[in-house]
Amino acid sequence: MNTTPSGASNDHAPHLYEHPAPVEPARPVRAVGSAAAHTTTRLADEFFYLAHDDQTGRPRLFESATAHGLAAALLAELYREGRVTFEGRHVRVINTVPPKDWLQHLVLDRLVAEPRHTATRTWLAFLATTACEQVITRMWQLGLLRPEQVGRLWRQRTVYVPTDVNTAAWSWARLSFQLRNYQPLNAFDQVLAGLALHTQLDPILLDGTPLAVRAFLRHQVDQVPAPLRELLADLGAVVGGAVLSHRTS
């Protein structure tokens, strides 16, 4: 596991090897039962669904945007659990009691272990290095995803396909329908929509809609609490820079 965010020196990035616990299991135990029995209400899980095709598991975004979106979603989960807040482009831990969820616990433990490093963008960059793998592990444990080999024999790769298409499609269908019909989003979906907006997933989500729908989306995202608006602004800046780099490379 990397110990330094991409593009940052050891003087400005969390040295997470200094804090050994907790860690996710190397061979996690998969939950018994179908995906339908474990309907997700976690932001990172639902953003993963948004960022991937609900039938094939193929990504809708380029890798860096997905990774940073998942990193922001994990931080937002901790905010919703009352463990952290965001002030002046910095993450501040306000409650060190470990959450029940092992991945939330892991992220919080890393934040607590590195009080010198508080810049939100630093943490987005660091968490992005492992967020996709860890969120996949959590979803696989719950029976929400299954690995599938695709491609020719000599160029095979693994994609993670939803075990229940209806569960996987629900986040996309729900957001798309409500936004296209100018229906106010609840607090959870406002944050989820913000993750989509600031990872530049919104043109796909709202394909074919008039500009008024895009404006309604932004209005809904503006309703999230001020700390989360700061997190989303940092996410947008990081993803925007990555997009520019991706297009000019």
Side-chain angles (χ1 to χ4, degrees), residues 31-88:
V32 177
S34 68
H38 303 287
T39 303
T40 179
T41 56
R42 300 175 188 85
L43 278 164
D45 296 6
E46 292 224 1
F47 178 74
F48 184 91
Y49 279 144
L50 284 183
H52 295 82
D53 185 89
D54 51 74
Q55 296 189 43
T56 67
R58 296 176 185 270
R60 290 175 167 134
L61 293 170
F62 68 94
E63 184 177 356
S64 180
T66 300
H68 283 93
L70 289 170
L74 290 173
L75 290 173
E77 286 184 15
L78 288 179
Y79 175 85
R80 287 173 54 83
E81 291 291 325
R83 299 313 197 271
V84 304
T85 191
F86 305 92
E87 298 174 347

Side-chain angles (χ1 to χ4, degrees), residues 203-238:
I204 308 173
L205 178 66
L206 300 179
D207 184 43
T209 61
L211 291 177
V213 176
R214 311 289 177 89
F216 182 71
L217 166 61
R218 291 184 176 276
H219 172 73
Q220 289 297 298
V221 173
D222 286 343
Q223 306 309 305
V224 304
L228 286 179
R229 289 202 300 272
E230 291 207 11
L231 171 64
L232 292 172
D234 278 319
L235 171 63
V238 170

Side-chain angles (χ1 to χ4, degrees), residues 78 82-86 90-97 107-115 117-118 123:
L78 288 179
R83 299 313 197 271
V84 304
T85 191
F86 305 92
H90 291 269
V91 185
R92 182 167 67 88
V93 176
I94 57 177
N95 185 344
T96 60
V97 175
V107 175
L108 178 63
D109 206 60
R110 288 171 169 172
L111 289 165
V112 171
E114 294 294 336
H117 303 288
T118 61
W123 281 104

